[in-house]
Amino acid sequence: MTSTTAVPADPPVDLWSPRLRAMTVGSVALVSLLAFEALAVGTAMPTVARSLDGLGLYALAFGGSFASGVVAMVASGIWCDARGPRPAMWHGVVWFVAGLVVAGAATTMEVLVVGRVVQGFGSGLVSVALYVVVGQAYPEQLRRRIFAAFAAAWVVPSLVGPALAGLIVEHLGWRWVFLAVPAVAIPAALLVQPGLRALTATVATRPPAGALARIGWACGAGASAALLHYGGQQRGVLAAGLIAGALAGLLVCVPHLLPAGFLRAARGLPTVIGLRALASAAFVAAEVVIPLMLSRERGFSPTGAGLVLTVGALSWSVGSWIQGRIGSPRSAATLPRAGLACITIGTAGVASALVPGLPVLPAVLSWSVAGLGMGLLYPSLSVLTLEQSAPAEQGRNSSALQLGDSLAAATVLALTGAVLAAGSSPGPAGYATTLGVAAACALLGLVLAGRVSPRPAM
């Protein structure tokens, strides 16, 4: 008789298994830092502008960072596909930290704007590189869960970031909103380093064809986005002219940066990226109008209106957790459909706060439904993007996904500002119009959701 020796089974792979633990901790920490800084700067910037006598450059401090981030997303996608995510990640962390140091040490508003531009460029590099890390380091069955962890890493800063930033500004000074973050960013990057080292050997070493042209189009899109951001903060004819020029620039540049067929919602990846853009536009449009509507129409305090937004952030986290525990949906469209249905119902339901005599509770519950939908939708679209990307295209497609998201949010913010400023003061008609557009965007996404799967090969 021959004896057989039992081969021990491999231990189950989990986000916190020895092979992935450091990568998971470092990646989630980096996402959380990017989120905290994005939210905290908004709280600190009025104090910064007064301290540096730079109110005239206030808008540029935000628009410049956003524009450099657009360029960085495209550059990071090209870099990741050519050399793997390690160089883009490390350069991103260096640029991010350098920008924070420059901004924190600034003695003039001009220097602070330079720091914000550098910081935004680093954020764009890191955000795309993290997606490629997920595609290369995590098995398919864990991708929903790691993207759920990324969503949670955004939710926590959204809950405590503004308040914490306010305390830092009040007790330590605004400079520490910038200078404290590098102390955590560098250790987080070091945690990711061992796993990154193993990912670079499987990719090509030359940039893809047309890389330089894509960078050029990205610069044009970034400049248009900055102009859009600035125009959205103006009023009257000047605002209309700037927004129109910026939208024209985006219409020329953006199609060269997104997958072919994006504008006609071609099946597969173009629709996946389009749904992310539509959902972002819908949620941001409603999120911007809610505090203003509740404070002016219902007498809410800033704290009370902020708590309503917190409800949406918490339900977003719940939705992300739920989708992360779902094994294999019956169809690739199941979670996107569920998410977009929730966003449609939720953003439309928020308008109930405009009905005199009706309690505000239905509007609050509606916003929680919209947040739940975002939690179901965002990670599932990220997973679909990686599933439909060849290994050498994960960077480009991850870049396109985040680019569409960011530009859709910037566009709707500018247009929402224009709608609300159309009259002598914001009123119910402006709020209802904005919420109607938000619901329409989500409904359009719901109609298109069945096209997320590529057409089967003949």
Side-chain angles (χ1 to χ4, degrees):
M1 296 181 64
T2 59
S3 62
T4 59
T5 301
V7 178
D10 292 334
V13 178
D14 187 74
L15 294 182
W16 309 107
S17 62
R19 182 170 68 85
L20 293 175
R21 185 184 301 125
M23 179 79 81
T24 298
V25 172
S27 297
V28 171
L30 286 172
V31 172
S32 188
L33 289 173
L34 296 179
F36 171 78
E37 199 60 29
L39 296 164
V41 167
T43 302
M45 195 56 71
T47 302
V48 175
R50 287 195 301 270
S51 175
L52 299 179
D53 192 24
L55 191 60
L57 295 176
Y58 187 90
L60 190 58
F62 291 97
S65 175
F66 185 86
S68 64
V70 167
V71 177
M73 288 177 193
V74 176
S76 186
I78 295 169
W79 206 350
C80 289
D81 287 340
R83 301 291 177 87
R86 184 183 176 194
M89 177 74 78
W90 270 110
H91 276 265
V93 171
V94 170
W95 281 77
F96 180 64
V97 169
L100 291 170
V101 171
V102 170
T107 56
T108 66
M109 195 66 173
E110 288 82 1
V111 174
L112 185 130
V113 168
V114 171
R116 290 282 292 149
V117 169
V118 173
Q119 175 193 340
F121 190 80
S123 298
L125 290 176
V126 171
S127 63
V128 172
L130 282 170
Y131 270 57
V132 180
V133 166
V134 172
Q136 295 189 10
Y138 290 82
E140 288 188 17
Q141 66 269 24
L142 292 182
R143 290 177 185 170
R144 292 189 185 280
R145 297 186 63 187
I146 186 61
F147 281 124
F150 286 179
W154 267 94
V155 169
V156 173
S158 72
L159 298 178
V160 304
L164 180 58
L167 290 173
I168 292 173
V169 170
E170 184 177 348
H171 296 287
L172 297 177
W174 63 263
R175 297 183 185 278
W176 288 102
V177 172
F178 298 96
L179 297 177
V181 173
V184 182
I186 294 173
L190 291 174
L191 283 174
V192 177
Q193 169 67 7
L196 288 177
R197 192 179 295 115
L199 301 180
T200 57
T202 59
V203 296
T205 57
R206 298 183 62 185
L212 188 60
R214 283 177 56 78
I215 295 294
W217 290 116
C219 290
S224 299
L227 185 63
L228 183 67
H229 187 95
Y230 180 76
Q233 299 188 17
Q234 309 306 311
R235 294 293 181 267
V237 176
L238 176 61
L242 292 175
I243 290 174
L247 291 176
L250 290 175
L251 286 174
V252 171
C253 297
V254 170
H256 296 275
L257 303 172
L258 300 180
F262 169 79
L263 293 178
R264 56 183 174 84
R267 295 189 66 92
L269 190 64
T271 293
V272 171
I273 291 172
L275 295 189
R276 176 82 167 249
L278 288 169
S280 178
F283 195 82
V284 167
E287 188 176 45
V288 168
V289 82
I290 285 172
L292 189 62
M293 178 180 68
L294 292 179
S295 62
R296 295 179 67 93
E297 303 299 322
R298 293 301 187 114
F300 272 50
S301 67
T303 301
L307 287 175
V308 175
L309 296 183
T310 298
V311 169
L314 289 173
S315 62
W316 186 326
S317 182
V318 171
S320 297
W321 182 86
I322 290 172
Q323 69 80 38
R325 267 59 186 176
I326 295 175
S328 298
R330 179 179 301 178
S331 163
T334 299
L335 286 172
R337 279 196 179 114
L340 286 159
C342 289
I343 298 168
T344 303
I345 294 169
T347 52
V350 169
S352 64
L354 293 171
V355 180
L358 193 67
V360 177
L361 183 59
V364 177
L365 294 177
S366 294
W367 188 238
S368 71
V369 172
L372 180 70
M374 292 295 281
L376 294 173
L377 180 77
Y378 258 50
S380 64
L381 293 180
S382 300
V383 170
L384 287 173
T385 298
L386 293 178
E387 287 179 354
Q388 297 181 24
S389 301
E393 295 179 340
Q394 288 179 342
R396 176 174 181 150
N397 293 339
S398 296
S399 166
L401 182 72
Q402 296 182 47
L403 192 66
D405 183 337
S406 298
L407 293 176
T411 300
V412 79
L413 281 172
L415 295 178
T416 297
V419 168
L420 295 179
S424 57
S425 64
Y431 306 139
T433 299
T434 302
L435 292 171
V437 170
C441 288
L443 181 60
L444 176 60
L446 179 60
V447 171
L448 298 174
R451 302 175 64 81
V452 294
S453 296
R455 191 177 301 278
M458 299 298 293

